[in-house]
Amino acid sequence: MSINWFPGHMAKARRQIEESLKKVDVVIEILDARIPYASKNPMLDHVIGDKPRVVVLNKKDMANGKETDRWIARLKAEGVYPVALNGKEPNVLKKIENTVVEATREIFERMERKGINPRAIRAMIVGIPNVGKSTIINNIAKRKVAKTGNTPGVTKAQQWIKAGTKMELLDTPGVLWPKFEDASIGQKLSLTGAIKDNVVNLDDIAIYALKFMQTHHLEGLNKFYNINIDANTEIVEIFDAIGRSRGFKMSGNEIDYERVTERVIYDTRDAKIGKLTFDFAQEEE
Ligand code: GDP
């Protein structure tokens, strides 16, 4: 699912994205709607420059709807063209097409004024692993074209696929590295499945998830695990409560903390406990 990123991979990915960028009118950057800040590649802004950019907040079905609306407003204010999607739904092509047309309107109007024949809008999809790039490409192409992004950068043999009537899309996505800035970003990336579980401390992830829900989703947390904690409950007591409620015990009736940790991570990752967005649009980053 994910890649271990080395400096060589990063340099290669950057070079390949820069090459592909020359061929397209617009870049479609896929972010995870649950972590629009943490799932952004830190270098992309530099290489995209002034090229129009559509930002897809994907997996909106797992994110907090109100927060997604706030992110859309923030991204619009930043001058990009955002759209929130569930990459698996049938309306993906239409939504992306509409946004791409809007993002490139000026370029095509200018071409028209110069008497240049209209042609399809050329686009490419980029993003960090696991945000849903392949799902979206396959959905748009109505067939299986993109291998799930396991290679940094873009694979060599790129082809254009017709996407609707107005757009052509490069069939392989640009795979970019995630942020490695600080522990909390790593925790968010792990909690949403963007980085491998074995590169992070699972206890820290579960603690992060539980504290986040204790603060922002207390009722949902209590209900899902059938527990009764409050805003002041110590973290170890939350683990105990979940362990007891789920019957995660070892011999001697001790709580099996490892099982609690795994359960909490998977339940959060699959949005079973609730639709949560971990990056706030209005927070100072
Ligand atoms: P890529 O690495 O960016 O190409 O990501 P994939 O397309 O392989 O998707 C990663 C995982 O997310 C897969 O299990 C997809 O089924 C899932 N996925 C993609 N888009 C969505 C979405 O909008 N909602 C949900 N719930 N899952 C999605």
Side-chain angles (χ1 to χ4, degrees):
M1 178 171 66
S2 341
I3 309 154
N4 281 322
W5 288 90
F6 294 103
H9 288 138
M10 290 156 72
K12 189 171 166 216
R14 178 178 182 147
R15 224 171 30 244
Q16 290 179 329
I17 300 275
E18 282 171 336
E19 276 307 306
S20 299
L21 272 174
K22 293 179 192 159
K23 303 180 198 160
V24 301
D25 303 301
V26 55
V27 176
I28 303 169
E29 178 187 18
I30 316 287
L31 302 178
D32 186 321
R34 296 168 293 176
I35 48 167
Y37 177 75
S39 63
K40 251 181 99 68
N41 168 274
M43 172 278 304
L44 195 64
D45 286 353
H46 301 289
V47 298
I48 289 188
D50 292 338
K51 209 171 271 284
R53 180 176 354 181
V54 167
V55 176
V56 172
L57 297 177
N58 193 40
K59 309 197 183 187
K60 74 163 190 177
D61 53 305
M62 298 204 275
N64 175 308
K66 285 202 185 101
E67 203 50 44
T68 300
D69 290 344
R70 288 188 200 111
W71 272 105
I72 293 280
R74 171 172 166 176
L75 289 163
K76 276 186 184 158
E78 288 174 5
V80 298
Y81 294 82
V83 56
L85 291 181
N86 172 348
K88 297 179 177 184
E89 277 185 354
N91 60 2
V92 162
L93 172 59
K94 200 74 227 155
K95 283 191 164 182
I96 290 192
E97 184 177 75
N98 289 343
T99 320
V100 160
V101 166
E102 209 186 315
T104 55
R105 183 162 287 138
E106 257 183 53
I107 302 179
F108 280 83
E109 283 177 356
R110 214 179 306 137
M111 279 162 62
E112 206 183 319
R113 281 199 297 275
K114 288 185 184 164
I116 299 170
N117 277 342
R119 57 163 175 79
I121 305 167
R122 293 183 190 135
M124 78 177 293
I125 282 182
V126 301
I128 68 167
N130 208 48
V131 288
K133 297 178 297 300
S134 318
T135 304
I136 289 175
I137 295 180
N138 289 330
N139 187 336
I140 285 181
K142 309 270 180 264
R143 62 192 159 99
K144 203 157 176 61
V145 282
K147 283 186 228 93
T148 24
N150 256 336
T151 348
V154 267
T155 47
K156 276 167 266 151
Q158 284 178 313
Q159 288 183 347
W160 293 106
I161 20 174
K162 275 218 117 8
T165 52
K166 299 174 187 154
M167 196 170 47
E168 283 175 0
L169 193 68
L170 283 178
D171 66 347
T172 42
V175 182
L176 290 164
W177 60 92
K179 286 182 168 140
F180 309 106
E181 277 162 29
D182 61 44
S184 88
I185 288 180
Q187 282 155 10
K188 291 174 190 179
L189 288 167
S190 166
L191 205 47
T192 52
I195 56 175
K196 280 183 192 164
D197 281 348
N198 62 11
V199 298
V200 281
N201 181 329
L202 292 187
D203 295 339
D204 290 344
I205 315 278
I207 291 169
Y208 170 81
L210 287 173
K211 283 187 171 165
F212 183 93
M213 290 186 272
Q214 186 180 25
T215 310
H216 301 286
H217 191 62
L218 185 58
E219 217 177 298
L221 180 63
N222 274 330
K223 204 167 156 207
F224 183 79
Y225 287 118
N226 197 17
I227 56 176
N228 189 18
I229 62 147
D230 61 38
N232 300 315
T233 307
E234 293 290 331
I235 190 74
V236 63
E237 289 173 34
I238 307 180
F239 275 81
D240 284 342
I242 294 173
R244 271 197 307 274
S245 167
R246 285 289 191 256
F248 292 162
K249 302 262 181 76
M250 301 191 292
S251 58
N253 220 20
E254 266 192 56
I255 300 288
D256 185 344
Y257 289 111
E258 216 174 300
R259 275 189 80 189
V260 176
T261 295
E262 277 181 12
R263 214 51 261 160
V264 166
I265 292 173
Y266 291 131
D267 290 339
T268 313
R269 194 175 281 165
D270 295 343
K272 286 189 182 150
I273 311 172
K275 297 175 179 222
L276 301 172
T277 299
F278 301 99
D279 285 333
F280 295 105
Q282 276 150 14
E283 211 171 49
E284 278 306 303
E285 318 280 13

